[in-house]
Amino acid sequence: MKHLLTTKELTREEAELILDVTEQMAEAVTGREVPKLPALRGRTVVNLFYEDSTRTRTSFETAAKRLSADVVNFAAKTSSVNKGESLRDTALTLQAMGADAVVIRHPAAGAPQRLTEWLDGAVLNAGDGTHAHPTQALLDAYTMRRRLGGIEGRTVAIVGDILHSRVARSNIWLLTKLGANVRLVGPPTLLPKDIDDWPVEIAYDLDASLKGVDAVMMLRVQHERQNAAFFPTANEYARLYGLDERRLALMPDHAIVMHPGPMNRGMEIAASVADSPRATITEQVTNGVWVRMAVLYLLLTNGESK
Ligand code: CP
C-alpha cells in the first residue's frame, strides 16, 4: 500500500492488517503517561482540507502527533486558494516544504487520486465528495469488531441518505469484503439509481429492517449536498427513517447504534438514542485515532518500525 484512497481497492488481508495494527496502536498507547510512540519522528504529515471537518481533521492530527510526526494544518478557506491557486500548485508547494504524507479532504470525487499523480509521498483520502471516506469505514469496522466480537456473518443496516454518503459507500465495500451482510434502508429518492450490482440488500421499511441486525448505522441527512427536495419535510423524514426509542426496542438487545457524525439530532437520530449506552458514537471517535495511527504508520514505514 502506498496510498489509501478507497476501501474498494483494499484486499481483505490489507483491511485485516490495518484493523490488527489498530488494535496494537490502542494497546501500545492506552494508559501511558505520555501517549506517544516514536515511529514517525522526523516525518511531516500535512492536513489539506478543502471542506469543513471536526472529527477527521483533528483525529488525523492527533494520530500523527501520537506517532511523533510533525503536523502542518492547511485550511483552504484561509489560504491562497482564495487567490485562485490550483490544487496541483498548492500540493506541490506543500511537498516542497517536505511533506511525507498528505491527508486530503475535497468536495470533488477523485481529487485524492489526482494528488497521487503529482506527489511523491503518501496520499490519504479524508473524504472526497460523495465518493469515499476510507478511514471512517475502517474505524466503523474496528468499532464493530470490538463491540460484536467480529464482522464475518454480522448484519449491518445503513440507514438514510445513501445517495450523498461517502461513508455508506466506503462501509459497503469494506464490510462486505470482511464478510458482513449489508442492508441499505432509506427513501427511494435517497438511494442511488445504479446499485443493482452492489453486494447489498435494499429496503424501504425501517421497522422491518431493524429485526435481526447486529449494528445500525444512521447517516446524516446531508442538506449541503442536496439541491432538490428528496423528502417532504424534516418531520416526515424523522417519522419514517429516524431512529427513536420505539425503533431501538425493535432491535436485538446486543445490537449497537452507530453514527459517523456530525448528527442532526431529532432528525435521523433522537437525542435519547444518540446518548444511550447502546450508541457507539464517541467510541467511534476514539477508535478513529487508533485507526489513523495504524494507517499513517503502515503507509509511512511499511510496518517496519514502531
Ligand atoms: N465523520 C466525519 O467525517 O466527520 P467530520 O466531517 O467532522 O470530519
Side-chain angles (χ1 to χ4, degrees):
M1 264 192 302
K2 178 154 194 283
H3 309 288
L4 179 63
L5 302 181
T6 69
T7 52
K8 198 172 184 179
E9 70 195 7
L10 289 175
T11 63
R12 181 169 181 155
E13 290 69 32
E14 286 172 332
E16 284 175 344
L17 174 66
I18 294 170
L19 299 181
D20 290 344
V21 174
T22 297
E23 186 116 41
Q24 291 168 18
M25 289 296 171
E27 281 168 10
V29 170
T30 303
R32 275 197 180 200
E33 197 176 328
V34 180
K36 274 194 153 191
L37 302 173
L40 298 187
R41 199 153 43 199
R43 307 294 186 94
T44 299
V45 175
V46 172
N47 281 325
L48 179 58
F49 276 62
Y50 284 77
E51 234 187 34
D52 296 342
S53 170
T54 297
R55 279 147 287 271
T56 311
R57 197 198 61 71
T58 52
S59 180
F60 266 113
E61 179 174 356
T62 306
K65 286 181 172 169
R66 289 201 173 156
L67 291 169
S68 305
D70 296 318
V71 180
V72 176
N73 287 314
F74 173 97
K77 280 182 184 156
T78 53
S79 73
S80 290
V81 169
N82 288 329
K83 300 175 194 162
E85 190 160 35
S86 69
L87 175 61
R88 182 172 184 274
D89 285 340
T90 303
L92 290 176
T93 301
L94 295 166
Q95 176 166 272
M97 291 181 201
D100 296 291
V102 173
V103 177
I104 178 170
R105 171 168 286 190
H106 200 282
Q113 172 72 46
R114 291 292 282 158
L115 272 198
T116 66
E117 294 160 21
W118 302 323
L119 299 183
D120 301 327
V123 175
L124 294 91
N125 184 359
D128 60 332
T130 60
H131 175 227
H133 193 350
T135 55
Q136 178 68 48
L138 285 160
L139 75 88
D140 291 336
Y142 180 73
T143 303
M144 284 179 222
R145 198 165 92 158
R146 282 187 67 92
R147 278 290 195 114
L148 303 173
I151 292 175
E152 178 88 47
R154 301 293 189 276
T155 297
V156 182
I158 304 180
V159 182
D161 185 0
I162 315 282
L163 181 65
H164 300 100
S165 179
R166 56 197 177 203
V167 174
R169 284 171 180 74
S170 288
N171 265 293
I172 289 163
W173 301 121
L174 182 63
L175 291 173
T176 54
K177 199 171 307 224
L178 295 174
N181 311 307
V182 175
R183 195 174 282 171
L184 304 184
V185 190
T189 49
L190 287 174
L191 288 163
K193 300 282 171 267
D194 55 346
I195 53 177
D196 288 348
D197 58 345
W198 288 13
V200 294
E201 291 170 41
I202 309 289
Y204 306 104
D205 179 344
L206 181 54
D207 284 11
S209 303
L210 293 174
K211 298 195 174 94
V213 294
D214 297 290
V216 61
M217 191 178 295
M218 303 308 296
L219 298 175
R220 182 171 68 90
V221 175
Q222 298 196 33
H223 300 287
E224 75 279 17
R225 292 193 210 279
Q226 297 189 2
N227 52 13
F230 289 93
F231 45 84
T233 63
N235 281 345
E236 180 74 354
Y237 182 89
R239 191 176 67 76
L240 291 173
Y241 291 104
L243 188 63
D244 56 14
E245 295 206 31
R246 181 189 68 77
R247 289 196 166 116
L248 190 64
L250 299 176
M251 294 167 53
D253 290 343
H254 72 276
I256 57 173
V257 175
M258 309 180 76
H259 194 304
M263 292 181 274
N264 296 306
R265 284 174 181 256
M267 195 166 178
E268 71 267 6
I269 189 165
S272 58
V273 174
D275 297 330
S276 82
R278 299 187 54 189
T280 60
I281 297 159
T282 51
E283 195 176 320
Q284 287 167 257
V285 174
T286 303
N287 291 340
V289 175
W290 314 134
V291 159
R292 290 172 178 124
M293 284 175 76
V295 170
L296 285 168
Y297 167 73
L298 287 167
L299 291 181
L300 290 177
T301 72
N302 289 320
E304 279 161 16
S305 73
K306 220 184 276 184

